[in-house]
């Protein structure tokens, strides 16, 4: 896209302005550059420290330079974390995240489709307005009635107790982003399919779904991240150790082993590692899609 | 009033499908609507109702009239909590906005190393607030943290034991976590500004800084409002970070409204007063979102064309 813009303006403005754009981009923006590199250092220092320290033993941690590589790298911290039931917490987090994202994205997609296709209808305008209002409300503030609701539904202390409100909290933003994308599908395509006798459900599946796949992935990743890292809902809606999700487990582990900083940091690494791996694989989708919903 | 509080672009585009057809698709919105009503709107109404009751979280719920409102509003600790909430909101906005703008403009350049920087910047956003809070707690420890380890006196402070320092730490950690996100929003915004505007400015002899303030910033007006709304409304929900990092302390120095709600409700088992704090949070969120929208003016046509 950058190339296109530059070439187009070069063609329009002649050689002279083309050169000046090139120079504009190439010339070091010293203020931005300084801030850019400085911020990189600020971001990387704690991350480097977490990883390095997680391979030190406790004695070494207390005496050594914090940035030095471990003289005698150990994986004992990781072993301790894994033996502290973290595989179970990991599984819980996977269940909660998948159990939230699949239904949340599916019903948000259907709602977004309805809002775009049925635009102008009173009911759908109202529904859309309701979801948009949901964006402005700090939904965590409704946690007490949610807690009451979950108790009354006899779901307290189950993974489903985390999943159901998480689905609801994911809806407003998902609908917003997905409506923006479905709107970009050319109307003529819908029209021609309709003339051929396709139902709305058929068009949703064969036309809107494939064309908005990138947006669906983006919304899934974004909500998945929020649920995977969620702390308040598990804290309030569960109780027993075997229902803990990773952030809650991390917090209790830290309370238990607060003196053993390397072990706590190994737990931080292990809870984050799956997301970092996913990020490494699908970051293009995440980075480009994440801002798409907001910079419109 | 009937307009959506944030991101108005959505509801604005002209309705094209005929009204008659909406019936055929309306049912598709029902599952999402049902879920959102049950766990979003019903609790929203519930929180208001509960604020007029007495409930310990386990037993009977009894009506209590206005007593919660009276007792909480006359609680001498409340103004401090509200003040701390605003302090953290304003300070984190004031730190994040200029830096995100600067970094976003920088990242909008097409050089490959900048793309790499964007990838690295994003990592803090992958970590849970719990993980970040735990890391900084250890990193800032006055006995075994970074300061004493490197023998740097200015880093060897009782960061979380001194009220003002703790507040500063919260703002710093929030910025560390969220500046990448807002930089990316600005990066997207800057890339939509037509290059011809900069060309014209260069020909007129405007320098880089002049261009930044007379083209980039005004062109990003709506992006700034979106980003600010997310920051401000988001700051009302900094619960997990502060809960794990300082637990509201030292004393009440970092006790924001969200934390106050949790402590009253789930630690002191006073769900009535806690619900009243929750109502305050909801009203505050709505008011701020509407205010920021008003600041943005009513027409966003130019922004939409660019998207």
């Amino acid at each position: 896209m950058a190339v296109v813009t530059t070439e187009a303006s070069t063609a329009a403005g002649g050689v002279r302005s083309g050169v000046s754009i090139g120079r504009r981009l190439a010339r070091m923006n010293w203020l931005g550059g300084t801030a850019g590199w400085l911020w990189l250092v600020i971001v990387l220092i704690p991350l480097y420290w977490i990883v390095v320290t997680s391979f030190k033993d406790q004695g070494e941690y207390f005496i050594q330079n914090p940035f030095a590589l471990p003289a005698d790298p150990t994986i004992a911290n990781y072993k301790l974390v894994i033996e502290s039931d973290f595989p179970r917490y990991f599984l819980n987090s996977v269940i909660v995240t998948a159990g939230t994202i699949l239904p949340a994205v599916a019903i948000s997609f259907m709602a977004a489709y309805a809002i775009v296709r049925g635009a102008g209808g009173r009911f759908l305008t109202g529904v859309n307005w309701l979801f948009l209002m949901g964006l402005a409300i700090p939904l965590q503030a409704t946690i007490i009635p949610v807690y009451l609701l979950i108790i009354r539904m006899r779901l307290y202390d189950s993974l489903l107790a985390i999943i159901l409100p998480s689905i609801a909290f994911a809806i407003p933003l998902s609908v917003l982003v997905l409506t923006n994308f479905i709107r970009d599908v050319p109307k003529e395509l819908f029209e021609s399919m309709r003339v051929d006798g396709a139902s709305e459900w058929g068009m949703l599946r064969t036309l809107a779904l494939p064309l908005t796949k990138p947006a669906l992935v983006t919304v899934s990743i974004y909500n998945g991240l929020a649920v995977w890292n969620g702390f308040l809902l598990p804290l309030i809606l569960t109780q027993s150790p075997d229902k803990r999700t990773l952030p809650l487990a991390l917090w209790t582990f830290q309370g238990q082993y607060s003196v053993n900083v390397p072990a706590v940091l190994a737990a931080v690494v292990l809870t984050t590692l799956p997301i970092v791996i996913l990020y490494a694989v699908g970051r293009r989708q995440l980075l480009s899609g994440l801002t798409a919903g907001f910079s419109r | 009033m009937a307009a959506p509080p944030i991101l108005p672009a959505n509801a604005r585009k002209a309705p094209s499908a005929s009204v008659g057809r909406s019936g055929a698709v309306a049912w598709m919105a029902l599952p999402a609507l049902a879920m959102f009503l049950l766990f979003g709107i019903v609790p929203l109404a519930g929180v208001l109702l509960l604020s007029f009751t007495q409930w310990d979280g386990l037993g009977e719920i009894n009506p209590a009239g206005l007593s919660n409102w009276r007792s909480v509003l006359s609680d001498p600790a409340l103004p401090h909590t509200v003040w701390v909430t605003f302090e953290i909101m304003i300070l984190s906005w004031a730190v994040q906005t200029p830096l995100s703008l600067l970094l976003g403009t920088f990242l909008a350049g097409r050089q490959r190393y900048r793309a790499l920087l964007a990838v690295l910047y994003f990592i803090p956003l992958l970590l849970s607030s719990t993980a970040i809070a735990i890391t900084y707690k250890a990193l800032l420890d006055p006995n075994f943290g970074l300061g004493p380890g490197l023998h740097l006196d200015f880093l060897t402070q009782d960061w979380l034991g001194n009220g003002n320092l703790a507040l500063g730490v919260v703002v710093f950690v929030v910025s560390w976590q969220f500046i990448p996100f807002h930089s990316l929003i600005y990066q997207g915004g800057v890339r939509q500004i037509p290059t011809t505007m900069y060309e014209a400015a260069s020909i007129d002899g405007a320098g880089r800084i002049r261009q930044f303030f007379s083209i980039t910033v005004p062109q990003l007006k709506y992006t700034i409002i979106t980003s600010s709304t997310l920051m401000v409304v988001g700051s009302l929900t900094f619960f997990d970070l502060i809960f794990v990092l300082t637990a509201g302390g030292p004393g009440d120095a970092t006790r924001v409204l969200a934390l106050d709600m949790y402590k009253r409700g789930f630690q002191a088992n006073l769900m009535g007063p806690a619900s009243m704090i929750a109502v305050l949070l909801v009203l505050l969120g709505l008011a701020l979102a509407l205010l920021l929208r008003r600041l943005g003016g009513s027409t966003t046509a130019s922004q939409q064309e660019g998207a």
Side-chain angles (χ1 to χ4, degrees):
Chain A
M1 192 214 148
V3 182
V4 174
T5 320
T6 315
E7 276 173 6
S9 38
T10 309
V15 180
R16 221 187 129 243
S17 64
V19 171
S20 81
I21 297 164
R23 240 189 251 145
R24 190 177 72 79
L25 289 175
R27 203 187 343 152
M28 193 62 182
N29 168 2
W30 63 268
L31 192 60
T34 316
W37 289 105
L38 207 64
W39 191 254
L40 184 69
V41 173
I42 293 175
V43 165
L44 289 186
I45 282 182
L47 298 176
Y48 170 80
W49 180 78
I50 295 172
V51 175
V52 168
T53 310
S54 71
F55 288 103
K56 294 179 179 174
D57 75 35
Q58 219 179 329
E60 201 180 353
Y61 169 69
F62 286 134
I63 50 168
Q64 216 193 23
N65 179 315
F67 291 136
L69 288 170
D72 186 17
T74 167
I75 56 161
N77 301 316
Y78 288 91
K79 255 179 86 185
L80 176 67
V81 174
I82 288 170
E83 280 161 7
S84 306
D85 236 5
F86 266 69
R88 150 139 243 149
Y89 307 141
F90 178 83
L91 186 67
N92 286 345
S93 274
V94 170
I95 293 172
V96 168
T97 307
T100 300
I101 294 319
L102 295 176
V105 172
I107 63 178
S108 299
F109 179 69
M110 283 166 63
Y113 181 87
I115 287 167
V116 174
R117 291 291 295 157
R122 244 225 190 110
F123 169 72
L124 288 168
T125 310
V127 170
N128 192 26
W129 181 81
L130 202 64
F131 291 153
L132 286 169
M133 198 184 70
L135 283 174
I137 295 170
L139 285 173
Q140 283 90 331
T142 62
I143 191 69
I144 294 170
V146 167
Y147 169 73
L148 175 62
L149 215 54
I150 290 292
I151 292 180
R152 290 289 151 93
M153 294 167 91
R154 301 186 181 283
L155 288 173
Y156 180 74
D157 202 22
S158 69
L159 293 182
L160 200 58
I162 310 172
I163 292 174
L164 292 177
S166 298
I167 294 176
F169 289 8
I171 289 173
L173 189 67
S174 308
V175 171
L176 173 77
V177 173
L178 291 173
T179 43
N180 276 335
F181 274 85
I182 297 174
R183 231 175 236 130
D184 287 347
V185 178
K187 303 231 159 41
E188 296 74 30
L189 293 179
F190 286 112
E191 277 315 301
S192 66
M193 278 195 77
R194 207 166 63 92
V195 171
D196 289 347
S199 67
E200 288 292 343
W201 183 250
M203 286 191 267
L204 177 143
R205 279 187 40 216
T206 53
L207 181 61
L209 188 64
L211 286 177
T212 46
K213 217 175 225 163
L216 288 169
V217 174
T218 299
V219 168
S220 305
I221 295 174
Y222 187 76
N223 287 318
L225 207 56
V227 178
W228 183 271
N229 287 336
F231 180 75
L232 182 64
L233 291 175
L235 175 72
I236 284 175
L237 302 175
T238 66
Q239 187 177 33
S240 22
D242 66 329
K243 298 294 186 312
R244 276 177 204 151
T245 54
L246 284 174
L248 195 60
L250 185 62
W251 178 63
T252 27
F253 187 79
Q254 184 253 178
Q256 239 170 339
Y257 292 92
S258 58
V259 199
N260 192 349
V261 174
V264 171
L265 294 177
V268 168
V269 172
L270 281 180
T271 56
T272 314
L273 204 59
I275 318 174
V276 172
I277 292 170
L278 280 180
Y279 177 56
V281 176
R283 70 161 196 281
R284 215 163 285 256
Q285 200 102 61
L286 184 69
L287 288 183
S288 64
L290 191 60
T291 48
F294 293 111
S295 45
R296 272 163 198 257
Chain B
M1 188 58 217
I6 325 184
L7 304 160
N10 211 15
R12 284 293 167 76
K13 293 192 183 165
S16 54
S18 66
V19 179
R21 209 190 308 147
S22 71
V25 287
W27 67 270
M28 292 186 194
L30 291 180
L33 180 65
M35 277 307 283
F36 191 65
L37 282 179
L38 183 59
F39 289 102
I41 302 301
V42 167
L44 203 59
V47 89
L48 185 64
L49 288 178
L50 283 175
S51 76
F52 298 109
T53 64
Q54 220 165 26
W55 182 39
D56 63 3
L58 296 168
E60 295 266 295
I61 304 176
N62 296 311
L66 287 170
S67 68
N68 294 326
W69 285 76
R70 240 182 254 127
S71 71
V72 175
L73 287 177
S74 62
D75 184 344
L78 185 71
H80 175 75
T81 308
V82 174
W83 168 243
V84 170
T85 308
F86 274 101
E87 224 174 356
I88 288 177
M89 178 191 296
I90 291 164
L91 285 176
S92 57
W93 179 84
V95 171
Q96 288 183 88
T97 300
L99 274 171
S100 305
L101 252 173
L102 191 62
L103 290 171
T105 313
F106 173 70
L107 290 178
R110 301 283 175 176
Q111 293 85 338
R112 291 202 73 162
Y113 77 94
R114 296 193 189 180
L116 180 71
L117 287 186
V119 169
L120 295 173
Y121 284 173
F122 202 72
I123 296 174
L125 216 57
L126 304 176
L127 275 68
S128 63
S129 298
T130 321
I132 292 175
I134 285 174
T135 301
Y136 274 98
K137 232 168 119 173
L139 205 56
L140 297 173
D141 190 283
N143 297 314
F144 304 110
L146 208 54
L150 294 171
H151 305 290
L152 291 173
D153 283 344
F154 73 97
L155 268 177
T156 315
Q157 313 259 359
D158 193 6
W159 290 106
L160 300 173
N162 171 311
N164 287 329
L165 286 179
L167 198 79
V169 169
V170 169
V171 171
F172 174 81
V173 177
V174 164
S175 308
W176 188 82
Q177 190 178 8
F178 291 112
I179 280 182
F181 177 71
H182 295 282
S183 301
L184 282 170
I185 295 184
Y186 284 126
Q187 179 200 40
V190 170
R191 286 188 175 171
Q192 286 170 11
I193 302 174
T195 348
T196 44
M197 297 189 82
Y198 290 103
E199 283 171 53
S202 302
I203 291 167
D204 290 349
R208 280 208 77 103
I209 292 177
R210 180 75 196 278
Q211 286 181 19
F212 179 78
F213 283 108
S214 53
I215 299 175
T216 310
V217 175
Q219 283 290 310
L220 288 178
K221 186 178 170 196
Y222 297 106
T223 316
I224 293 175
I225 287 167
T226 305
S227 153
S228 300
T229 308
L230 292 170
M231 278 184 204
V232 164
V233 177
S235 80
L236 295 176
T237 60
F238 292 152
F239 169 79
D240 27 10
L241 182 78
I242 299 178
F243 180 69
V244 177
L245 189 65
T246 67
D252 278 341
T254 52
R255 183 170 175 143
V256 292
L257 279 169
L259 201 69
D260 194 49
M261 173 188 79
Y262 175 83
K263 288 194 158 182
R264 286 176 195 266
F266 294 93
Q267 286 181 351
N269 296 322
L270 297 168
M271 293 294 180
S275 299
M276 192 238 132
I277 300 288
V279 173
L280 279 189
L281 270 174
V282 171
L283 292 179
L284 207 58
L286 274 177
L288 287 166
L290 283 172
L291 182 79
L292 280 158
R293 217 178 91 82
R294 186 64 43 92
L295 283 181
S298 50
T299 166
T300 58
S302 63
Q303 177 78 355
Q304 284 173 45
E305 304 301 315

